[in-house]
């Protein structure tokens, strides 16, 4: 789908020239939204086509990633546009370290988006960047660990095989898990009603079993420490 003469490439070229409507229309038609599963193959094809355009593609992707919920509502084909934008930014950052910091910052800005597919795109984007960045990204996302949705995104991305298999520093991973447990422990009582807090607890329940086979004893030791907590959800 990224050959110079195909419809996606032509639409991308038009968008890079300042005419994004043909691209948006093409992506929305192929999105499979509203529906249970969006067209991730199309999102990937867009991401790779955008990456090939370099800085011109970055501008197209960033404009799409920043479409707000009132212009690209969730559960509609319009939601596919910011998802594709985040996919494309992550693809560029995964292949070009010079764009990584800006992209990680952009992903952070969308980690608590109201639209769940956009939040999922953040997780996927982190995992894709992590596949090439490895240990360095584990350290780079430390500032994410002060927000519920943000910390949950880091944990879920860490558990993806693409990033996990490229990590060698067990201590850095344990530090992020400790950060997440501490965030949950120190949450106010009212947080129990917040979707982000629930997302964090769900991640704390599902991620350690996925990470433990990679690092073994350090993960079990961390869990043993947190098992002494008085809070029933954390135990």
């Amino acid at each position: 789908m990224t050959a110079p003469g195909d419809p996606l490439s032509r639409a991308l070229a038009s968008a890079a020239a300042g005419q994004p409507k043909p691209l948006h229309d093409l992506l929305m038609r192929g999105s499979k939204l509203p529906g249970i599963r969006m067209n991730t193959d199309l999102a990937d094809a867009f991401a790779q086509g955008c990456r090939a355009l370099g800085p011109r593609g970055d501008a197209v992707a960033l404009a799409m990633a920043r479409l707000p919920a009132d212009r690209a509502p969730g559960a509609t084909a319009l939601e596919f546009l910011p998802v594709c934008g985040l996919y494309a930014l992550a693809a560029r950052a995964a292949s070009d370290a010079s764009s990584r910091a800006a992209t990680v910052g952009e992903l952070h800005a969308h980690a608590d988006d109201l639209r769940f597919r956009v939040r999922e795109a953040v997780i996927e984007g982190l995992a894709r960047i992590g596949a090439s960045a490895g240990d360095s990204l584990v350290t780079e996302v430390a500032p994410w660990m002060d927000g519920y949705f943000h910390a949950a995104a880091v944990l879920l991305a860490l558990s993806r095989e693409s990033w996990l298999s490229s990590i060698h520093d067990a201590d850095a991973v344990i530090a992020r898990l400790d950060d997440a447990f501490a965030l949950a422990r120190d949450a106010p009582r009212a947080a129990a009603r917040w979707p982000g807090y629930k997302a964090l607890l769900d991640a704390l329940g599902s991620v350690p079993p996925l990470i433990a086979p990679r690092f073994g004893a350090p993960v079990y030791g961390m869990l043993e420490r947190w098992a002494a907590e008085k809070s029933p959800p954390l135990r």
Side-chain angles (χ1 to χ4, degrees):
M1 296 186 66
T2 54
D6 71 31
L8 179 56
S9 293
R10 292 197 301 271
L12 262 170
S14 176
Q19 298 294 328
K21 189 176 185 305
L23 174 64
H24 293 182
D25 289 346
L26 182 151
L27 292 173
M28 286 189 291
R29 285 196 305 272
S31 69
K32 297 185 180 179
L33 296 178
I36 298 174
R37 293 182 180 85
M38 68 178 183
N39 190 347
T40 55
D41 289 341
L42 178 56
D44 284 333
F46 166 78
Q48 295 308 316
C50 218
R51 180 186 62 80
L53 290 176
R56 291 192 304 145
D58 293 344
V60 172
L62 189 60
M64 289 169 55
R66 290 181 174 177
L67 286 170
D70 60 345
R71 292 183 57 197
T76 71
L78 283 161
E79 184 181 11
F80 193 58
L81 301 181
V83 168
C84 286
L86 293 174
Y87 269 48
L89 293 174
R92 178 101 151 95
S95 63
D96 180 1
S98 67
S99 68
R100 185 184 305 157
T103 296
V104 171
E106 191 67 30
L107 292 175
H108 182 276
H110 298 280
D112 58 354
D113 196 281
L114 296 174
R115 299 159 292 187
F116 82 88
R117 288 187 181 88
V118 174
R119 297 198 302 272
E120 286 288 329
V122 169
I123 297 167
E124 180 65 21
L126 278 179
R128 293 183 181 200
I129 296 170
S132 60
D135 294 322
S136 64
L137 187 61
V138 183
T139 301
E140 193 173 346
V141 294
W144 288 52
M145 307 309 291
D146 62 358
Y148 301 117
F149 273 127
H150 299 81
V154 168
L155 295 187
L156 292 168
L158 276 170
S159 70
R160 300 278 178 95
E161 181 62 25
S162 55
W163 187 5
L164 187 60
S165 62
S166 69
I167 298 172
H168 305 283
D169 186 355
D171 290 341
V173 174
I174 298 302
R176 299 291 79 77
L177 285 164
D178 275 330
D179 291 341
F181 273 108
L183 181 64
R185 177 197 62 198
D186 298 338
R189 189 180 299 273
R193 301 191 297 270
W194 300 345
Y197 181 73
K198 183 180 183 302
L200 177 59
L201 288 186
D202 288 346
L204 286 169
S206 65
V207 167
L210 299 174
I211 292 179
R214 178 78 172 92
F215 298 110
V219 178
Y220 302 132
M222 179 272 303
L223 291 173
E224 185 176 6
R225 283 190 284 104
W226 285 103
E229 277 294 314
K230 294 180 180 180
S231 165
L234 291 187
R235 285 206 308 277

